[in-house]
Amino acid sequence: MKQTERLVGFYDVHIQSHSRTFEAPNTISTLKAMELLMSLPAESRISENKAGTQIAYIKDAAQNGDVFHLLINKCDKELADPAFSNPKASQWRTADRAAGEGLDFSCHIVIRTSDNPLVRATALVEVCQGLPIVFIQRFLNNLMRDVKRVRPEEFVFPHPDGAVENNGRVRTYNTYFRFQFDGHPSNELEDDLETGSIGDVELIDYRTAATHMDQHGYIREVSKRLQIRMENGAPGSKVTRLKAFLAQRSPSYSNARIRFKTDDGVGRSVTVRTDDFMVGADTIFVKKERIHNFVNRLKQSYTSFNAETIEKMRALLD
């Protein structure tokens, strides 16, 4: 990480709901989900792997209306001690760590939420070494499981059939909530699609995963797929045409895998959502903006928000 600039990734966020007893569970808004996370005591906003070698924790958090700021840190005990050198002066040294310590990294996140469960939030995430978006998503979902243990009533909904149990109580079902991050497509992706050649496009529907294919329920359908091919010689914008086609098919297919070659012949593949062309959170095609002109040099790790970083990220969000 450079001391004078940072990259910021752009993402959509929505809340997925799952239930073991009901196939169409209610979900909650991103605003409600973040408020549930913030209801955890500060000392409980922490999660570690089974080996105890990687510890993620929220070091700082703030809410301003529907906008949340998070400072997510990661302590990594597996990494080697950092080394510093000044070859011209023939100087080398290693920063030794104490027992139980690990290298610490920080990531600033700004999320504009919505109180409508059908409206996705917008999240800006600082690109940081050791804190990829998949790690951050998994960490937030681990915290949501902790919230369920502390506030189980927030995860219970009345069953829509209105049935009453033998004890006279209205029938209910339990849910699990998960954060899902999807990347905004970069300008480079659309440029590569426009100037290169688009090959196969595979439409995918993952929403039939609960459909059983045998009478015992041991075989189930996990997806259905439709493969198409675009003619690259058609007039007009290929990307505009592709987006329109995918949007028309979105009620039946949730995702599309696009195989293409850039204008210099490099083969690529990207998966997008059919309804809005958002890309996978961990792909290289996520939109990123550079923030710079910091007054003070940036650090690898913080114990509280870096005010300049938050200010510049809020400017991108607004």
Side-chain angles (χ1 to χ4, degrees), residues 48-68:
E48 63 179 312
N49 62 359
K50 291 183 179 180
T53 56
Q54 293 185 346
I55 304 173
Y57 57 102
I58 296 179
K59 186 57 181 170
D60 205 353
Q63 179 181 0
N64 183 7
D66 62 352
V67 178
F68 292 79

Side-chain angles (χ1 to χ4, degrees), residues 133-196:
I133 190 65
V134 174
F135 180 92
I136 291 170
Q137 177 178 282
R138 183 169 60 247
F139 168 58
L140 295 178
N141 289 332
N142 287 342
L143 292 188
M144 190 59 80
R145 285 196 290 270
D146 293 340
V147 174
K148 182 176 173 66
R149 285 191 285 268
V150 176
R151 302 180 62 181
E153 71 281 358
E154 297 287 353
F155 297 76
V156 178
F157 293 89
H159 200 284
D161 64 9
V164 178
E165 304 288 357
N166 293 334
N167 58 11
R169 295 180 179 177
V170 175
R171 183 184 180 191
T172 60
Y173 64 90
N174 277 280
T175 59
Y176 297 85
F177 297 130
R178 292 176 53 85
F179 287 85
Q180 176 64 46
F181 285 73
D182 295 295
H184 291 200
S186 65
N187 293 332
E188 290 79 8
L189 170 62
E190 297 199 11
D191 290 343
D192 284 344
L193 290 172
E194 200 67 67
T195 60

Side-chain angles (χ1 to χ4, degrees), residues 31-217:
L31 176 62
K32 178 67 174 178
M34 288 301 302
E35 289 175 341
L36 287 175
L37 277 189
M38 294 302 97
S39 71
L40 283 174
E43 65 273 12
S44 299
R45 302 169 189 169
I46 187 170
S47 177
E48 63 179 312
N49 62 359
K50 291 183 179 180
T53 56
Q54 293 185 346
I55 304 173
Y57 57 102
I58 296 179
K59 186 57 181 170
D60 205 353
Q63 179 181 0
N64 183 7
D66 62 352
V67 178
F68 292 79
H69 302 164
L70 297 178
L71 181 67
I72 295 180
N73 282 25
K74 176 185 177 183
C75 170
D76 196 327
K77 301 178 183 180
E78 295 180 319
L79 297 179
D81 293 340
F84 302 90
S85 68
N86 183 353
K88 292 183 178 181
S90 297
Q91 294 177 343
W92 292 267
R93 66 182 178 87
T94 300
D96 296 331
R97 72 186 74 185
E101 289 184 334
L103 268 66
D104 207 70
F105 305 91
S106 292
C107 172
H108 292 81
I109 301 177
V110 177
I111 306 177
R112 170 167 286 141
T113 61
S114 170
D115 60 1
N116 185 340
L118 301 180
V119 177
R120 297 182 175 103
T122 299
L124 303 188
V125 180
E126 181 185 8
V127 177
C128 297
Q129 178 183 356
L131 281 163
I133 190 65
V134 174
F135 180 92
I136 291 170
Q137 177 178 282
R138 183 169 60 247
F139 168 58
L140 295 178
N141 289 332
N142 287 342
L143 292 188
M144 190 59 80
R145 285 196 290 270
D146 293 340
V147 174
K148 182 176 173 66
R149 285 191 285 268
V150 176
R151 302 180 62 181
E153 71 281 358
E154 297 287 353
F155 297 76
V156 178
F157 293 89
H159 200 284
D161 64 9
V164 178
E165 304 288 357
N166 293 334
N167 58 11
R169 295 180 179 177
V170 175
R171 183 184 180 191
T172 60
Y173 64 90
N174 277 280
T175 59
Y176 297 85
F177 297 130
R178 292 176 53 85
F179 287 85
Q180 176 64 46
F181 285 73
D182 295 295
H184 291 200
S186 65
N187 293 332
E188 290 79 8
L189 170 62
E190 297 199 11
D191 290 343
D192 284 344
L193 290 172
E194 200 67 67
T195 60
S197 60
I198 299 176
D200 293 335
V201 179
E202 186 178 26
L203 302 181
I204 309 169
D205 177 25
Y206 294 112
R207 289 170 289 189
T208 58
T211 302
H212 295 291
M213 306 294 288
D214 69 333
Q215 61 180 341
H216 302 293

Side-chain angles (χ1 to χ4, degrees), residues 240-251:
T240 300
R241 187 181 304 108
L242 180 58
K243 284 183 176 180
F245 172 79
L246 295 180
Q248 291 173 356
R249 295 288 179 149
S250 62

